[in-house]
Amino acid sequence: MVTEYRLPITRACGAARLSRAAHYKVPPLPQDKDAEVIDALNGVVERNGRWGFWKCFDRLRLDGRPWNHKRVWRVYCELGLNIPRRTKRRIPKREPVPLAGCSFVNQGWCHRPPYWSHWVIGIQAPPADRRNGARA
């Protein structure tokens, strides 16, 4: 209004319901205002990547930062840190080792044949068939 209608600054600010100080003062950009919070949060997350918001916020408070949790949360979300950062925990790769061979023929994992093989080779009578009513 000042340049277009050639109104005095006092009248233009009154019509727009702004203070004269707001006319002269250039508002800071959000990234300039929160640069210190961004740097501090990036430092905490870089050291401890699996920490959540409250652990990061408590660390900042222990470091003596005066910011409240609402401001830190807003910046935390703007940085995209509220999205889960689940990293895959990798198992260390093992060297393949060949299986040990048997020193005798027919040597297996168990030291004696299992129970069911006794009646196959004739050591014991086969188990009775209980479904048909036969007795042992």
Side-chain angles (χ1 to χ4, degrees):
M1 285 197 257
V2 174
T3 56
E4 192 173 324
Y5 296 107
R6 295 182 178 253
L7 284 177
I9 294 172
T10 309
R11 281 202 177 165
C13 289
R17 296 190 179 180
L18 291 174
S19 66
R20 281 185 298 145
H23 173 75
Y24 291 109
K25 186 176 180 182
V26 178
L29 296 173
Q31 57 265 28
D32 295 339
K33 186 173 72 171
D34 295 329
E36 194 176 355
V37 180
I38 291 170
D39 292 339
L41 267 176
N42 282 333
V44 170
V45 171
E46 184 179 316
R47 284 190 305 267
N48 309 302
R50 295 185 58 85
W51 279 9
F53 168 73
W54 285 109
K55 229 171 186 181
C56 292
F57 178 73
D58 290 340
R59 171 48 51 196
L60 293 175
R61 292 300 285 211
L62 286 172
D63 290 344
R65 310 299 174 116
W67 312 306
N68 65 9
H69 71 277
K70 293 170 282 204
R71 179 178 181 186
V72 176
W73 175 252
R74 178 177 47 80
V75 174
Y76 189 83
C77 290
E78 286 174 3
L79 294 174
L81 298 174
N82 58 334
I83 299 168
R85 298 174 305 277
R86 292 193 174 89
T87 56
K88 188 174 183 180
R89 294 185 182 180
R90 300 193 182 272
I91 299 172
K93 189 157 186 161
R94 298 186 328 184
E95 293 257 344
V97 178
L99 294 174
C102 299
S103 56
F104 300 108
V105 177
N106 293 335
Q107 182 181 8
W109 286 100
C110 62
H111 62 282
R112 64 181 179 88
Y115 172 76
W116 62 267
S117 67
H118 288 178
W119 64 269
V120 170
I121 58 176
I123 298 175
Q124 198 175 14
D129 188 9
R130 300 273 178 197
R131 289 178 291 171
N132 295 335
R135 292 188 176 184

